[in-house]
Amino acid sequence: MSLEHKIDFKVVISVKDANPNGDPLNGNRPRQTMEGYGEISDVAIKRKLRNALQDQGQKIFVQSDDRATDGFKSLKERAGAIDGLKEAQEKKDTAAYARIACQEWFDVRAFGSVFAFKKGGAGNGLSVGVRGPVSIQMAKSITPIEINEMQITKSVNSEPGEKKSSDTMGMKFTVDYGVYVFNGSISPQLAEKTGFSAEDAEALHQALIHMFDNDSSAARPAGSMEVLKVYWWEHNSKAGQHSPAQMHRSIKVLSKTGDQVMRSVADVEFDESHEYDDVDVEIYSGL
């Protein structure tokens, strides 16, 4: 079923003793603004959503190597395995290429993609861009964050003949506690072009709720990142009654500590007394 209503959403997540998104240009420290507020890039958020959607059984084009389920080691190989795409490449039919890619992969019809491969094999010199209907902003903490630094050492020998020692290997960084918020929207007009349906929108809704259920790692131990709230607004038309910015502002996520560092989930409160009662809202609470 096609998407007939504009959708806006707001997601509130908590981080405890974890690194939500390391900055490779800063020694993998948690991303932070000049004012000390934490950040999570939109790319990192989409990675979590792709993983959650893949867990749902959706076909994903941009799979991480450790989660690849089809045996392909590159995007070029994955695209080249689709017969319809090969034919579109040979004919230089960019419209057909985009249509088939959207039909094949959820993340392409949701977030869009750029197919730009070298000549030969998948792509055959053809460059195709798909603009997706789902837009997601970067997440930002509602108060400054406090970053904990820890040295990591080795306790075993890497090579035969080495003298066993506890040599410093590097640094590990974690956020003691923080609450982050990000916003997003789904455009029915762009959804019509990529084939993103109402069923796809519900799958994305569920992925937002479960984006950390199967995402544990050394930097993000199980239970260290949690979805506290998901606000899901569905308008009564493709144009919508209000702009995305108005909907996103209508819910306020506040800290009881003011501008001071938060210490636990007890320090956060939600002002849900928004003025837009003409838009249906579904609220998920993980509290």
Side-chain angles (χ1 to χ4, degrees):
M1 184 171 63
S2 62
L3 187 65
E4 299 295 333
H5 306 96
K6 185 169 82 73
I7 294 173
D8 298 306
F9 54 88
K10 176 186 286 287
V11 182
V12 185
I13 63 178
S14 67
V15 179
K16 180 177 176 58
D17 298 327
N19 186 346
N21 186 204
D23 185 352
L25 298 181
N26 192 21
N28 208 43
R29 289 174 60 90
R31 295 183 187 273
Q32 198 173 24
T33 68
M34 295 296 291
E35 295 79 21
Y37 290 83
E39 287 184 320
I40 303 175
S41 73
D42 59 313
V43 175
I45 293 170
K46 289 176 183 177
R47 176 73 274 153
K48 303 292 185 289
L49 293 174
R50 283 185 169 97
N51 291 347
L53 288 162
Q54 199 171 353
D55 289 342
Q56 291 181 18
Q58 301 289 346
K59 296 187 68 174
I60 299 298
F61 178 60
V62 185
Q63 300 179 26
S64 57
D65 289 341
D66 61 331
R67 278 178 163 265
T69 57
D70 51 17
F72 299 115
K73 298 300 183 181
S74 70
L75 299 180
K76 181 177 181 179
E77 291 178 352
R78 186 167 293 123
I82 307 301
D83 292 335
L85 292 182
K86 291 181 181 179
E87 184 179 349
Q89 292 161 15
E90 294 172 357
K91 294 181 178 180
K92 301 291 184 179
D93 190 341
T94 58
Y97 194 104
R99 184 182 67 255
I100 295 169
C102 288
Q103 291 172 350
E104 186 72 19
W105 295 295
F106 185 106
D107 55 333
V108 175
R109 63 178 177 270
F111 307 128
S113 187
V114 175
F115 297 85
F117 305 117
K118 296 179 181 179
K119 290 184 178 180
N124 198 24
L126 186 67
S127 180
V128 179
V130 178
R131 185 181 176 189
V134 180
S135 62
I136 293 178
Q137 302 174 9
M138 289 197 309
K140 186 175 180 180
S141 65
I142 63 174
T143 62
I145 58 173
E146 193 171 87
I147 298 176
N148 183 48
E149 302 181 1
M150 179 185 301
Q151 285 187 335
I152 303 174
T153 60
K154 70 174 183 178
S155 59
V156 296
N157 296 327
S158 300
E159 298 287 345
E162 284 186 345
K163 184 178 179 181
K164 187 175 181 179
S165 62
S166 295
D167 297 332
T168 301
M169 298 286 287
M171 299 292 295
K172 183 175 182 177
F173 304 98
T174 58
V175 174
D176 282 349
Y177 190 81
V179 171
Y180 293 66
V181 179
F182 69 88
N183 301 315
S185 296
I186 306 176
S187 165
Q189 291 80 8
L190 292 175
E192 185 175 349
K193 294 181 179 180
T194 68
F196 188 86
S197 66
E199 290 79 9
D200 289 335
E202 182 54 30
L204 177 67
H205 187 187
Q206 294 303 311
L208 289 168
I209 293 172
H210 299 288
M211 60 191 298
F212 300 118
D213 287 3
N214 192 23
D215 184 56
S216 60
S217 67
R220 298 177 303 278
S224 62
M225 297 191 67
E226 180 183 13
V227 176
L228 300 180
K229 292 270 191 175
V230 175
Y231 299 92
W232 185 265
W233 292 282
E234 185 167 342
H235 298 252
N236 63 12
S237 66
K238 289 186 176 182
Q241 296 97 294
H242 308 282
S243 71
Q246 288 175 316
M247 302 311 303
H248 296 155
R249 284 197 305 266
S250 68
I251 297 292
K252 297 177 176 60
V253 185
L254 308 170
S255 170
K256 297 177 183 177
T257 65
D259 291 333
Q260 302 302 309
V261 174
M262 302 177 71
R263 297 299 178 187
S264 73
V265 70
D267 292 333
V268 65
E269 59 182 350
F270 304 90
D271 182 358
E272 299 174 345
S273 58
H274 61 87
E275 63 271 31
Y276 303 121
D277 294 332
D278 56 339
V279 182
D280 292 333
V281 59
E282 185 175 340
I283 303 175
Y284 164 82
S285 178
L287 296 171

